[in-house]
Amino acid sequence: MADEADAIVIGGGLAGLVAAAELADAGRSVVILEQEGSNALGGQAFWSLGGLFFVDSPEQRRMRIRDSRELAVQDWMGSAQFDREEDYWPRCTAEAYVDFAAGEMRPWLHAMGMRWFPVVGWAERGGALADGHGNSVPRFHITWGTGPGVLAPFIRRVGEHEQAGRIKIRYRHQASRLVTTNGAVTGVTGELLEPSTAERGQRSGRGVIGAFELSAPKVIVTSGGIGGNFDLVRANWPVERLGPAPQTMVAGVPHHVDGRMVAIAQDAGAALINADRMWHYTEGVQNWAPIWPDHGIRILPGPSSMWFDALGDRLAAPCMPGFDTLSTLKRILSTGYDYSWFVLTQSIIKKEFALSGSEQNPDLTSGKWLNVLKTRRGAGAPPPVEAFKKHGADFIVRDTLPELVSAMNTMTGEDLLDHQRIAAQIQARDREIENPFSKDAQVTAIRGARAYLGDKLIRTAKPHRILDPVHGPLIAVRLHVLTRKTLGGLHTNLDGQVLDASGATVPGLYAAGEVAGFGGGGYHGYNALEGTFLGGCIFSGRNAGRHAAANA
């Protein structure tokens, strides 16, 4: 069969768009296969907050943040904790990505028209040792336009090549097998799915109306992770490291993020590594207006909410809001329950609660300063947060603590929480607020956060007593485990070439984005520093596209 193109890209998400654009820029012809409809172009990146990890950026310098490649590498390696023989390429990719983030990445994206919110966010702060997990300084740069703003320049580039005939996008094409010839991947076969009228993110049909077979000397798999497939998440759950998998979870990604291409690539000789490394959040809430099945939204918390497990015991450092996701996940599951609680005040929710996702941040997604000022400087919390407080199944608002605790027990149907025990812990914390000194790690962290101008302005409430009625009403939020990212994946080298079990390249086969652990088969190691998911898609997609183009 004659080649349909110089390369086939499986998946129309961010990594796939980047790879296709780079191939076409080099004069190569590309076919993009996307199992969803045309309204799904951009994949999961569309729903993201648009955060990117930069090092020593102009935005950081304007906020008086001193960052460097050396500090970023220290943070990354302390977080990744690489400890396996197969971590060679993940480590190499991580080091190369930090070089990219400290060098060419921002100017390259800026030249394509991308811009960023001037206040740099401080995500995943760690909360332990300097050479351990976490970001030592703020590095989370929110793109103007959020996820759609990140996608825009690549969709534009792909669209221009599509008009010129160098790129063809074939929607509702579901890949099911990688064709191999004499040991090399030479094409893709699969099914034509029934037309779909589902809106972006909604569950689409899987009825088959035909078949297809395409040939090309290069195939790049950019099909995403497994977060929409709870069965796969549980099958790969690291029980010995984190405890039993949650019985109930909410989904941070649409249903089509199903991981099916991993097994298909393995059948063609690809090696899978670090499948037990995942990044699921502990601050998920049920979406009161769901788009996809089991739709959950992550709360992006400031540091002030008090965090209790299902039994009513306060979580200790480093298990504080926004500090150490993996440690907190392990701590929560150690109770035998898969949920936990925030207890906070109206003053805290107004200043500190943000919700992850482009659709939950219409002001930032609009890219207009006036909208941001109206939303963030209003009398209450941002409107999407207030909507969750009013309609969300996991939110409770009461004037007094006895009423709040009683409602929390009613919500779960179990009398696990004792009012006196909860009150004693809150009162002990409140006494620490009376002085500028404290032995409470969270109170110290709150004051440390406010030493950063960005947090003081928009992300951290002025320290106050939780039980002070002036700051009420009281609010409790039940938090679920939210599936999100796959940190392991198809084993690749720095150029995105897929490796087999012996470490040799599988001729003709590449992978990029989440299906490749965002590069190398897991360049995060065990922990993510945030802003590195979209960045990993861009970096690995670019590397794979450029290498495939140069070797077509």
Side-chain angles (χ1 to χ4, degrees), residues 403-424:
E403 292 175 302
L404 191 76
V405 174
S406 176
M408 292 161 74
N409 281 327
T410 299
M411 178 179 284
T412 63
E414 298 183 86
D415 290 328
L416 296 176
L417 305 177
D418 177 74
H419 164 253
Q420 293 299 329
R421 172 66 179 147
I422 297 288

Side-chain angles (χ1 to χ4, degrees), residues 165-521:
R166 285 182 289 272
I167 291 179
K168 298 177 182 178
I169 307 177
R170 300 193 175 179
Y171 298 104
R172 303 297 283 164
H173 279 57
Q174 178 179 264
S176 291
R177 185 171 68 91
L178 298 177
V179 178
T180 58
T181 306
N182 298 324
V185 173
T186 56
V188 183
T189 68
E191 297 77 42
L192 300 175
L193 301 180
E194 62 187 350
S196 173
T197 58
E199 296 295 325
R200 179 190 285 269
Q202 291 181 347
R203 189 181 188 95
S204 61
R206 286 294 178 265
V208 175
I209 60 173
F212 71 89
E213 181 171 355
L214 300 173
S215 297
K218 305 294 180 184
V219 175
I220 304 179
V221 179
T222 58
S223 54
I226 68 173
N229 185 333
F230 287 177
D231 290 337
L232 263 183
V233 169
R234 292 190 177 101
N236 288 287
W237 193 269
V239 176
E240 292 185 2
R241 184 157 48 88
L242 295 180
Q247 293 183 355
T248 60
M249 297 181 283
V250 291
V253 294
H255 79 287
H256 61 258
V257 185
D258 55 14
R260 65 191 306 275
M261 279 305 302
V262 173
I264 292 169
Q266 286 181 285
D267 288 342
L272 172 67
I273 63 172
N274 300 320
D276 64 315
R277 293 178 182 171
M278 309 176 188
W279 195 247
H280 304 309
Y281 292 109
T282 52
E283 312 99 332
V285 292
Q286 300 169 79
N287 194 343
W288 65 273
I291 298 172
W292 53 78
D294 302 304
H295 190 175
I297 295 292
R298 185 197 175 197
I299 295 171
L300 303 174
S304 301
S305 297
M306 294 190 70
W307 206 335
F308 294 90
D309 64 24
L311 302 175
D313 292 322
R314 186 182 176 198
L315 275 57
C319 304
M320 301 181 293
F323 279 75
D324 190 331
T325 294
L326 211 60
S327 291
T328 306
L329 178 59
K330 182 177 181 179
R331 168 67 178 82
I332 290 168
L333 295 177
S334 71
T335 64
Y337 293 86
D338 49 27
Y339 67 90
S340 59
W341 297 96
F342 276 166
V343 174
L344 60 149
T345 64
Q346 177 63 28
S347 293
I348 292 172
I349 201 172
K350 173 185 175 182
K351 190 77 173 278
E352 298 194 5
F353 265 36
L355 300 170
S356 182
S358 56
E359 82 283 12
Q360 300 296 332
N361 294 272
D363 52 349
L364 291 168
T365 302
S366 75
K368 297 180 179 178
W369 263 111
L370 183 60
N371 291 343
V372 174
L373 292 173
K374 286 181 178 178
T375 297
R376 309 286 161 161
R377 304 297 290 180
V385 176
E386 287 290 342
F388 264 85
K389 194 179 80 173
K390 181 179 180 181
H391 302 293
D394 296 306
F395 284 71
I396 300 169
V397 181
R398 296 291 188 274
D399 290 325
T400 68
L401 189 61
E403 292 175 302
L404 191 76
V405 174
S406 176
M408 292 161 74
N409 281 327
T410 299
M411 178 179 284
T412 63
E414 298 183 86
D415 290 328
L416 296 176
L417 305 177
D418 177 74
H419 164 253
Q420 293 299 329
R421 172 66 179 147
I422 297 288
Q425 294 173 88
I426 296 177
Q427 289 163 357
R429 178 265 185 206
D430 280 359
R431 292 188 190 100
E432 300 283 307
I433 296 297
E434 300 297 326
N435 294 290
F437 328 106
S438 178
K439 68 178 181 181
D440 188 293
Q442 185 176 6
V443 172
T444 300
I446 294 167
R447 290 173 174 150
R450 286 178 62 83
Y452 167 48
L453 180 60
D455 274 355
K456 187 174 183 178
L457 287 173
I458 64 172
R459 286 292 284 151
T460 306
K462 185 176 181 180
H464 60 272
R465 291 182 292 113
I466 298 291
L467 297 180
D468 184 349
V470 171
H471 293 277
L474 293 170
I475 302 164
V477 185
R478 180 176 58 178
L479 305 172
H480 305 267
V481 175
L482 176 86
T483 64
R484 186 61 68 84
K485 297 300 179 186
T486 311
L487 298 191
L490 299 178
H491 199 183
T492 69
N493 60 21
L494 188 55
D495 294 317
Q497 293 176 290
V498 173
L499 309 179
D500 64 18
S502 71
T505 59
V506 178
L509 185 60
Y510 293 76
E514 191 172 353
V515 74
F518 300 94

Side-chain angles (χ1 to χ4, degrees), residues 80-160:
Q81 300 167 21
F82 293 122
D83 60 359
R84 298 172 179 174
E85 184 178 350
E86 58 265 35
D87 280 333
Y88 173 79
W89 282 115
R91 181 190 291 271
C92 290
T93 306
E95 292 174 348
Y97 176 76
V98 174
D99 288 340
F100 184 55
E104 185 185 1
M105 182 178 180
R106 187 188 179 282
W108 182 61
L109 296 175
H110 188 277
M112 282 188 264
M114 211 178 288
R115 299 293 184 269
W116 298 276
F117 187 63
V119 179
V120 183
W122 195 356
E124 202 64 18
R125 306 181 189 203
L129 301 178
D131 58 355
H133 170 58
N135 284 297
S136 298
V137 298
R139 296 191 177 104
F140 191 77
H141 297 68
I142 297 176
T143 306
W144 275 116
T146 62
V150 174
L151 288 168
F154 299 105
I155 289 177
R156 183 184 67 248
R157 288 172 62 190
V158 167
E160 290 169 353

